[in-house]
Amino acid sequence: MNTLHRKNFPYQIYAGFAGMTVFWVYVQTLAPTVSFFDSGELIAAAYTLGVAHPPGYPLYVSLGWLFSKLPIGAGAYRLNLMSACFATLAALMVFLITHAMLSNRSSSPVAEPSRTAPDPEQMFMPVASLVAAFAFAFSQTHWSQALIAEVYSLNAFWCGMIIWLLFHWRRAVGEQEAKAGSSRLHSMSGSRAAEQNRDDTSGGNAAKPPREKHHIPHAGHLYLIAFLFGIGFGNHQTISLFFFAACFLVLKTTPHLVVNMKAVALILASLALGLSIYALTPIRAAQHPPVNWGNPSTWRQFKWLVTREGYSNVPRGGGLSALWHAVRTQEVREHDARPGQSPLPERPVHGLTRLLTVFRQSLFFRQMLTFRPWREFGQIGLILAIVGLLYGVIFVRIPTLTVFIAICSFVVLTIFISDPPDENIFLVEEFHTPAYLLTAVLIGLGVMGLARAMLWVVRPWRFAQYGIVFFLTINALILPGRLLLVNLPHIDRSRNYVAYDYASNVLSSLQPHAILFTWGDSGAFPLWYLQIVEKQRQDVILIHVPHLSSPWYADSLPEELRQAVEFDRIHLGSSLEAVDNIIRTQIAMRPIYFDFSSAHSLPLSYQLLPHGITYKVAAAGDTIQEEIWNRYRFRGILDNTRIAMDADIERTFGMYGSARVELGHYYLEMDELEKAAEQFNAAVQFDPDLGDHIVQHLHFRNKLAGDKPAPSP
């Protein structure tokens, strides 16, 4: 083993330990099947090499297609495992970035190293990197996304890899320049006569390096980074927000790059080559895969997909503009204040106090609070990150400023571009995962900064330094250990089958060759997964109502339904008109159902018959089929299984309970009080909060405890 390998051996051991530990924890808590929200759609797109929702996610779809071929598990598990793999690699990027920043700094003489005794500071350096990696790995947002099929783990890894490669390039440039400087100093130590002769023959320019004036050292690294930037854009477009940090680091390292047109052109060409991954979307769209969002086989639809034109009608909050309006007019609008909060303080305030009051009551402030490092890493983690920022600015200034610029630009621009209203603020939280990755790097710097301070205090005593290193190693791991234990009950998805069972229950409710209208993504996408990937109930036609106003979606419907949706698509009520046309033309041939969300979101004029968790458009002779509920599975709901809760799971509990309540109301109308009571009792098992509603309704109907007016004699 050569000297270089011996030097890096402990570092490699720590990195391997970090990767294996994190991956083992992720696998133990991995979701066994599909989850709510985008998970089902992304899995179906990956399995069929299709086109996911805007902007298409060609990188995720391509890698997901490869993972779908693994002979491990079944269905969604393979794509969940892909998230775990890239989430583990993202944690390793934290380790590598932190170690690169710490080792980039020239070692100061905390204790004079000897040839036989190891340097205590060098011993602790991989420990600080390990703490940073574990802190990120077991933070709430990253860990939760590591267990389901989603794009955020891959995005975090790709962003971390680019930052690490930038630091690696900067270090290579520094080493080359140092070597060139050492060579020049060595050449200057020759005889004075030889030096004078060189000066005479070269006109005094002997000190110039033998390369062109604007040469870019290790330019191939920059071309690779630009290529990876383009590729990463094919997974999540927020990676482009690291542009400012990358430019800062590159220009501080080689400021003459801006005048090297050849290098700039090659960087842009490499970026364009990476962006060419988007060519996959029109190629696959032309093959008409089952998931073909937007059908981007034409330039117009391709532009619609990549630029997210489909979301142009999504309401924006106007957070920054509202804040500026409040500052200028000295008033806060009603809708800018928090729910239940007065838009104006009880007593008038002025100056800085007024500005702070206006800012804290603004929507923009609530948008900014989607980035919450104190929730991800705890108060101690936040303090360590601040200490790490100060330590880094002093000892590794340029890399630390690069990290700080990356965090700030990523968070602020994410908020500015997305600009969500209050009801959609939660959708932005996962976007901040790359910013949390770099915050964890600052935590590692903070741990190292505290360690260096303590080692400096005991610098005269070598064995005391070793004792400090051991003490700090044990205590430093408390932070990620605490995150692991605190977050585990809220993150663990290893027994979570709620989304799968919900979709399976819905499909089992339907008669053969049925049409099912769906509304929300969380309700529709698990159905896509079961039908496209697991090939369940392929006789059923699933229609996502919000898409009916889009020509690309109407064209994807079966032939017998296309004529029914030919209408003026510019009309505001076009989706509902399409639903009416489909029902009118198909009711005599197919049973037609609405899922819970569509039945309660659309202003329908049809008589809907409760049919388990679905609602059937009533036809002559239809009756309630109670036995449907007996076929349902409720793993994690009624079997006392402890599962991590989230908003979608809680809504599912409420849907089951509300469906039971509505069935109970139906039996009340039929004066079948015993059956009604049975349904109400079942509803409370799903959602105890429904109990008060049931009691109030029964009291209103004067049927509580069977109290009915006695007949007149």
Side-chain angles (χ1 to χ4, degrees), residues 428-507:
V428 184
E429 293 181 352
E430 288 81 8
F431 284 21
H432 297 309
T433 306
Y436 291 135
L437 182 148
L438 295 181
T439 304
V441 171
L442 295 180
I443 290 176
L445 295 183
V447 171
M448 191 66 199
L450 294 179
R452 283 184 51 78
M454 297 181 68
L455 290 172
W456 182 84
V457 172
V458 297
R459 66 188 183 282
W461 304 284
R462 169 70 69 172
F463 286 103
Q465 290 181 336
Y466 293 147
I468 290 293
V469 168
F470 178 78
F471 172 79
L472 289 175
T473 300
I474 299 300
N475 285 273
L477 292 174
I478 292 178
L479 171 63
R482 182 179 181 278
L483 291 176
L484 172 65
L485 295 177
V486 170
N487 291 333
L488 178 62
H490 308 288
I491 300 296
D492 184 10
R493 291 180 176 266
S494 60
R495 296 181 296 274
N496 191 336
Y497 293 89
V498 176
Y500 184 94
D501 287 346
Y502 167 79
S504 180
N505 293 341
V506 168
L507 291 179

Side-chain angles (χ1 to χ4, degrees), residues 345-366:
E346 294 181 0
R347 291 181 294 179
V349 292
H350 305 281
L352 181 60
T353 303
R354 184 188 68 82
L355 291 177
L356 290 176
T357 301
V358 169
F359 179 68
R360 292 187 62 184
Q361 292 186 0
S362 68
L363 173 62
F364 183 72
F365 177 69
R366 296 194 294 279

Side-chain angles (χ1 to χ4, degrees), residues 298-357:
T298 65
W299 168 249
R300 180 178 179 181
Q301 286 304 111
F302 178 78
K303 178 176 173 289
W304 177 91
L305 179 80
V306 177
T307 60
R308 297 173 178 260
E309 288 183 19
Y311 299 139
S312 59
N313 60 344
V314 174
R316 297 175 64 85
L320 192 58
S321 60
L323 176 61
W324 177 244
H325 170 81
V327 170
R328 290 183 60 191
T329 61
Q330 302 187 17
E331 64 180 17
V332 181
R333 294 179 295 188
E334 288 284 347
H335 69 270
D336 294 328
R338 297 175 185 268
Q341 177 189 48
S342 173
L344 296 174
E346 294 181 0
R347 291 181 294 179
V349 292
H350 305 281
L352 181 60
T353 303
R354 184 188 68 82
L355 291 177
L356 290 176
T357 301

Side-chain angles (χ1 to χ4, degrees), residues 576 579-580 583 594 598-608 617:
L576 186 58
V579 171
D580 290 336
I583 294 176
F594 289 86
S598 59
H600 291 81
S601 300
L602 297 171
L604 301 173
S605 57
Y606 309 101
Q607 180 186 356
L608 298 180
V617 177

Side-chain angles (χ1 to χ4, degrees), residues 656-713:
Y656 282 130
S658 297
R660 286 284 201 176
V661 169
E662 292 179 6
L663 185 56
H665 291 167
Y666 175 86
Y667 284 130
L668 279 180
E669 296 294 336
M670 301 293 105
D671 279 335
E672 299 185 46
L673 301 186
E674 187 174 332
K675 288 186 176 181
E678 181 181 347
Q679 296 302 321
F680 291 145
N681 289 332
V684 174
Q685 294 182 40
F686 288 108
D687 187 356
D689 293 338
L690 292 172
D692 292 339
H693 165 77
I694 295 170
V695 171
Q696 292 174 7
H697 180 81
L698 292 176
H699 180 73
F700 177 77
R701 293 175 57 90
N702 198 27
K703 290 182 179 291
L704 186 62
D707 185 13
K708 298 180 64 176
S712 301

